[in-house]
Amino acid sequence: MLHALGSTAETSHLPGTHLLAPYLTGEIGLLFTSRPPAEIESYFANYATLDYARAGATAPRDFVIPRGELRTHYGVEGGEDDPIPISQEPHLRKLGVPTRLVKGKVTLEEVEDENEGYVVCKAGETLDSRQTALLKIFGARMAEFRISPKAIWEKSGGTVRGIGQMEVDDMQ
């Protein structure tokens, strides 16, 4: 993105786009719109959605796979409980879940230490890749996805304004 926008005033695609360079680090995206900046800032300030947790995240709550036939919502709010597909059973075993097929349905085998079922994670625990894979299979979204605008480039003046900062003009 840096090369497309330009890293210096001479290589800028449009006046001032090179001023975005300091903001082009890490996981970023660009949004091009004709809407007013205040409307965009307000929209993203109020935008949040649930997402699947990644390894290294902290579990906000416990997640236990209940005994019996395994079912999932696949993260679809208001969706019916769907049975776990038979094709997932070998994958669940590889992830350490004691499963078996009973009459064509994936079920959790008896877990000796737990009365309720198989504990995937407990609240406050740092999640590993195995746990996040299990959470995804069962449709348990435990992370919040937010977009935080960092800067706004305005075509009319070739200026860049960091969100919550003062304007930087193209004179540099």
Side-chain angles (χ1 to χ4, degrees):
M1 282 193 268
L2 180 62
H3 293 294
L5 295 174
S7 55
T8 65
E10 295 79 32
T11 61
S12 285
H13 178 68
L14 292 170
T17 56
H18 69 285
L19 298 172
L20 289 170
Y23 301 100
L24 300 178
T25 59
E27 293 182 12
I28 59 146
L30 295 175
L31 171 67
F32 296 92
T33 182
S34 59
R35 294 182 184 262
E39 184 180 332
I40 299 302
E41 288 180 62
S42 172
Y43 175 80
F44 285 120
N46 298 316
Y47 178 82
T49 186
L50 287 176
D51 197 6
Y52 296 109
R54 295 183 181 180
T58 303
R61 59 185 163 85
D62 294 353
F63 185 79
V64 178
I65 301 172
R67 292 177 22 198
E69 182 184 351
L70 300 185
R71 303 182 80 72
T72 182
H73 280 220
Y74 290 109
V76 179
E77 203 170 305
E80 284 185 30
D81 272 342
D82 295 322
I84 293 282
I86 293 172
S87 61
Q88 287 289 333
E89 198 271 340
H91 186 57
L92 288 169
R93 278 194 168 280
K94 285 181 185 174
L95 292 171
V97 181
T99 60
R100 64 183 170 146
L101 290 175
V102 176
K103 297 181 183 176
K105 297 181 182 188
V106 181
T107 59
L108 184 67
E109 290 183 351
E110 293 293 322
V111 182
E112 293 177 20
D113 297 337
E114 299 293 330
N115 292 333
E116 297 176 14
Y118 182 83
V119 177
V120 175
C121 64
K122 293 195 176 278
E125 188 175 71
T126 301
L127 299 171
D128 60 28
S129 59
R130 182 189 68 79
Q131 291 167 310
T132 58
L134 287 170
L135 292 171
K136 193 169 187 177
I137 289 170
F138 286 92
R141 296 177 188 220
M142 290 195 173
E144 185 176 76
F145 175 77
R146 290 188 160 279
I147 296 175
S148 303
K150 301 294 181 202
I152 296 174
W153 170 77
E154 294 195 34
K155 185 177 183 178
S156 60
T159 59
V160 170
R161 175 177 54 87
I163 303 297
Q165 300 173 4
M166 54 193 284
E167 223 171 77
V168 178
D169 62 19
D170 190 29
M171 298 299 180
Q172 296 178 346

